[in-house]
């Protein structure tokens, strides 16, 4: 066990290999891809929320319409 303490090879993870453009600060296509994916995700979430709200509105309207058509008790 004591021998393996001095062997620190691989400790700390691996570093990503940088392209020449990344080394010069030009950024990577990976960042642009992530941004595009995030935008698509946000758009999808927005559409899903709109559909859920529309469905909730129609259900609420249908329920209130059913209550109005019930016979009046005197």
């Amino acid at each position: 066990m004591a021998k393996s303490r001095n062997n620190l090879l691989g400790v700390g993870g691996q570093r990503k290999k940088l392209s020449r453009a990344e080394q010069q600060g030009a950024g990577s296509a990976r960042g642009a891809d992530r941004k595009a994916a995030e935008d698509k995700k946000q758009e999808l979430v927005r559409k899903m929320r709109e559909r859920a709200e529309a469905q909730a509105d129609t259900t609420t309207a249908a329920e209130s319409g059913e209550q109005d058509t019930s016979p009046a008790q005197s």
Side-chain angles (χ1 to χ4, degrees):
M1 190 85 167
K3 290 183 181 180
S4 65
R5 288 184 189 169
N6 295 330
N7 185 8
L8 298 176
L9 184 64
V11 173
Q14 297 179 350
R15 293 186 181 204
K16 180 180 161 282
K17 301 286 185 191
L18 296 176
S19 68
R20 285 184 182 234
E22 290 172 332
Q23 288 175 357
Q24 295 172 358
S28 67
R30 179 187 298 178
D33 291 342
R34 286 185 181 176
K35 177 74 170 142
E38 183 65 26
D39 291 342
K40 287 180 183 178
K41 181 180 176 183
Q42 292 296 326
E43 183 68 18
L44 180 63
V45 168
R46 184 187 62 80
K47 287 180 181 178
M48 290 175 67
R49 283 186 182 149
E50 287 177 357
R51 288 180 188 163
E53 288 174 2
Q55 187 176 11
D57 290 343
T58 56
T59 344
T60 306
E63 289 174 356
S64 64
E66 290 173 1
Q67 292 173 356
D68 292 341
T69 58
S70 62
Q73 295 177 349
S74 305

